Amino acid sequence: MLIRYLLLFVAVLPFTGVQALAEVSEGPSVRRISGEELYRDVNEQHAVMHYDYAAERFYKVLTTVGVKTVIELEPDEQIVQPVFLRHPEQWMIEVQTVDTGDQQRQQVLVTPEENGLRNLMEIVTDQRSYVIDLNSYPNAYMSTVKWNYLGESAAQGYAGAGGSSN
């Protein structure tokens, strides 16, 4: 399957923008879109989001009822404390470890119990901390969320590319 990349600008807070790369199977190869267009594109494509990691940033994640959104950590990155949710009562959170052959990768699976919810989640690992702005919508979601760790390793490619971390 031919995979193309779509450059997105996502407004996480009214005063903060986060640059992200979404992996899609259809559509133009590269274009800039607004936050409103993000919802339409995610709805149509169920995008795999690639955010550029930066400490102390919020990352917006779209979810929907009945679908597990996979938040994928870097290979061999380990969660060191329970995943924190500000309001946990309406969200299902699972942590799983996936064996990818020569390494293991932890994933956090997120599913809202109803649409129209918003929540903050924090994942603390042995290497970094992720603060995630969870949002649930009836017809839009991100199937997988990954990070690019630019500047942390010269050999590292985009998140999940299997690049060396040393």
Side-chain angles (χ1 to χ4, degrees):
M1 172 166 62
L2 177 63
I3 305 236
R4 298 182 214 156
Y5 296 95
L6 173 65
L7 184 62
L8 304 175
F9 280 99
V10 181
V12 175
L13 295 175
F15 52 86
T16 305
V18 175
Q19 189 175 15
L21 188 66
E23 182 178 304
V24 296
S25 58
E26 298 177 25
S29 57
V30 176
R31 70 182 177 116
R32 293 181 189 269
I33 65 173
S34 70
E36 286 301 311
E37 289 176 298
L38 165 68
Y39 298 106
R40 185 176 64 244
D41 283 349
V42 169
N43 184 26
E44 293 168 1
Q45 307 296 337
H46 306 299
V48 174
M49 291 297 295
H50 292 263
Y51 283 113
D52 291 337
Y53 180 81
E56 300 180 17
R57 278 252 170 107
F58 286 79
Y59 301 95
K60 188 169 195 157
V61 173
L62 308 184
T63 64
T64 194
V65 173
V67 177
K68 292 180 181 180
T69 294
V70 178
I71 298 173
E72 197 167 275
L73 303 177
E74 186 174 33
D76 298 321
E77 183 175 14
Q78 297 296 309
I79 296 172
V80 295
Q81 65 186 44
V83 174
F84 172 79
L85 279 174
R86 178 177 284 169
H87 304 288
E89 55 278 349
Q90 293 181 310
W91 296 83
M92 295 184 332
I93 303 294
E94 300 173 53
V95 177
Q96 69 180 14
T97 302
V98 177
D99 188 3
T100 59
D102 59 342
Q103 54 194 344
Q104 292 191 334
R105 180 186 298 265
Q106 279 197 313
Q107 298 176 333
V108 178
L109 309 176
V110 180
T111 310
E113 292 186 4
E114 61 185 68
N115 290 312
L117 300 176
R118 186 169 185 196
N119 204 348
L120 282 179
M121 177 172 72
E122 183 176 22
I123 302 169
V124 178
T125 73
D126 57 353
Q127 297 177 37
R128 50 190 72 86
S129 179
Y130 303 86
V131 179
I132 298 169
D133 179 14
L134 294 172
N135 296 268
S136 63
Y137 294 97
N139 297 311
Y141 69 92
M142 297 169 180
S143 61
T144 303
V145 178
K146 302 178 181 186
W147 281 266
N148 304 311
Y149 302 101
L150 305 174
E152 291 187 22
S153 171
Q156 178 101 25
Y158 76 88
S164 171
S165 61
N166 289 334

